[in-house]
Amino acid sequence: MREIARALIAWYREARRTLPWREEPTPYRVWVAEIMAQQTRLETVQPYFERFVVRFPDVAALATASLDDVLACWSGLGYYRRARMLHRAARLVVERHGGALPAEPAALRALPGVGRYTAGAIASVAFGLPEPVLDGNVKRVLARLLDLEQPVDSAGGERRLWTEAEALVRAGGDPSALNQGLMELGALVCTPSSPACPACPVREACRALPAGTVSRRPVRSARRAPRVQPTVALVVGRGDGAVLLRRNPPEGLFGGLWSVPLRASGPSARQAAVALGRSLGQGVVVQGGVAGRVEHALTHRLLRVAVYRAGAPGARAPRGCRWVKPPAGLGRLGVAELTWKILEVAMGAKKEGDRRRRSPSRSG
Ligand code: SF4
């Protein structure tokens, strides 16, 4: 363990990528970066992170901001639940810890959105404590180093990996470099396909390499296919180009975000679209058939969305809704990613329809 730890730390100090939170690893910046990096690649995270910490430079600024502002700044990064929990957690850090993130993993884990991995990352990277981390990259590296036959997503497999990660971080002299070295090795060298084993700093200790099982590690349990949810979306347009957006309730699908009105549909998508129009208020009338289709994957569900267009007679927005002119108006709100996709499809269909109406038919 000590040899592996030493080799990893030395390699990390040489090979690490320059990232804004690594250059200035304050607890707040490490926390924001770790929450953003859950389910998102670091390359994607970087510009969002830079914008976010300029807009909300510390816990106090985040805690006093409105949820709307936070969601608008997060817009485009997806998985908005993370932003809502970050905002809630910032308020708790102010209430419970006077605005300074605690170092103890137990206190960190008491904050919304902070699980064992994130607590370990903040404790080790920002505070230098020997706390383990276990994300997808670390799981892959450790499963190969150990030539682990147990599925890494099983309870037993996870338990074993946490134990190994803990032993490793306690064996090394620099918990921050060790943990980041493990993650960086998984991202740059011990990659899912075609790992660069000849360039690996811990190849001497790797059990999967001599066993010829690298491509079969890590083992995963068979995945269940996501549940398909037929859905209808209504793009309600006003004469001046504005569309109707509705604020979703705080908990549930796209909680707290603005989106075009959506509804789960049964066998008849059109009936569901008409019912959705009626629920918005008098005079919202569905126009024509399906304008397009969009698919949107959530963690355990696949939304298969039939997009309809509709018109509204009055200028007044129904309760909980507002008129927004895309694209500029959308950029100022926290808008669900799916809404951008739906509007793209609906606008494309409208342009195509207008073009057909303008060009005379060939048959005269
Ligand atoms: Fe991964 Fe290859 Fe290094 Fe083993 S030798 S840890 S498989 S990169």
Side-chain angles (χ1 to χ4, degrees):
M1 279 292 177
R2 203 162 296 155
E3 277 311 303
I4 296 177
R6 202 172 298 150
L8 264 174
I9 291 171
W11 173 81
Y12 175 71
R13 288 181 178 148
E14 285 291 308
R16 72 193 191 115
R17 290 168 291 178
T18 304
L19 293 167
W21 52 91
R22 283 183 179 161
E23 301 316 299
E24 202 190 321
T26 65
Y28 174 69
R29 289 164 67 87
V30 172
W31 175 40
V32 171
E34 287 299 338
I35 299 290
M36 284 189 166
Q38 291 167 3
Q39 292 143 314
T40 309
R41 292 167 59 85
L42 291 190
E43 293 76 12
T44 311
V45 163
Q46 200 167 330
Y48 286 93
F49 173 85
E50 280 167 345
R51 217 167 36 234
F52 197 89
V53 293
V54 168
R55 179 78 182 75
F56 312 110
D58 51 31
V59 177
L62 182 57
T64 50
S66 72
L67 181 60
D68 264 347
D69 281 352
V70 176
L71 291 172
C73 202
W74 199 275
S75 194
L77 198 54
Y79 300 100
Y80 292 89
R81 201 162 165 264
R82 297 178 299 178
R84 286 197 301 278
M85 290 206 280
L86 190 68
H87 184 236
R88 229 172 43 228
R91 293 188 166 178
L92 286 177
V93 172
V94 170
E95 269 172 46
R96 292 180 189 163
H97 307 287
L101 272 164
E104 307 77 44
L108 287 166
R109 287 180 71 179
L111 298 171
V114 179
R116 188 172 178 186
Y117 163 77
T118 307
I122 298 170
S124 61
V125 176
F127 295 105
L129 298 178
E131 292 296 328
V133 294
L134 191 66
D135 67 352
N137 282 328
V138 179
K139 280 183 183 177
R140 184 169 60 255
V141 172
L142 292 180
R144 286 172 175 169
L145 278 172
L146 299 164
D147 196 21
L148 190 70
E149 286 177 28
Q150 263 175 310
V152 294
D153 50 356
S154 66
E158 283 225 359
R159 241 193 332 270
R160 168 85 195 275
L161 292 176
W162 274 112
T163 305
E164 297 292 339
E166 192 166 355
L168 197 53
V169 76
R170 303 230 152 124
D174 181 345
S176 168
L178 186 280
N179 278 347
Q180 292 190 84
L182 264 177
M183 294 190 268
E184 198 76 335
L185 190 75
L188 302 180
V189 178
C190 194
T191 49
S193 55
S194 320
C197 298
C200 177
V202 290
R203 64 187 174 283
E204 299 295 324
C206 181
R207 294 193 196 148
L209 190 59
T213 53
V214 171
S215 62
R216 300 204 296 279
R217 302 287 179 264
V219 175
R220 286 184 197 285
S221 321
R223 282 233 177 118
R224 271 192 297 161
R227 188 165 60 83
V228 175
Q229 170 67 67
T231 303
V232 287
L234 215 50
V235 178
V236 185
R238 204 172 58 177
D240 61 356
V243 293
L244 196 68
L245 295 191
R246 183 164 66 173
R247 183 92 181 253
N248 295 291
E251 298 305 327
L253 188 63
F254 308 126
L257 294 175
W258 293 89
S259 69
V260 295
L262 297 166
R263 173 186 171 129
S265 84
S268 167
R270 187 171 168 85
Q271 262 177 26
V274 170
L276 178 57
R278 272 201 213 109
S279 74
L280 291 171
Q282 292 289 320
V284 175
V285 178
V286 175
Q287 298 165 334
V290 180
R293 294 183 193 277
V294 171
E295 284 200 346
H296 190 74
L298 302 167
T299 316
H300 302 293
R301 270 184 299 171
L302 178 70
L303 301 185
R304 204 160 270 164
V305 187
V307 181
Y308 286 82
R309 299 179 61 236
R316 247 179 91 187
R319 206 156 156 237
C321 299
R322 66 196 285 179
W323 292 105
V324 177
K325 279 194 187 175
L330 270 64
R332 289 191 286 274
L333 294 172
V335 173
E337 188 66 22
L338 174 59
T339 286
W340 290 94
K341 290 192 204 172
I342 289 170
L343 289 177
E344 216 174 287
V345 162
M347 299 306 168
K350 183 173 184 302
K351 274 187 204 146
E352 179 62 14
D354 292 349
R355 193 181 61 72
R356 279 212 211 97
R357 274 192 295 281
R358 276 198 304 273
S359 17
S361 113
R362 276 168 200 267
S363 59

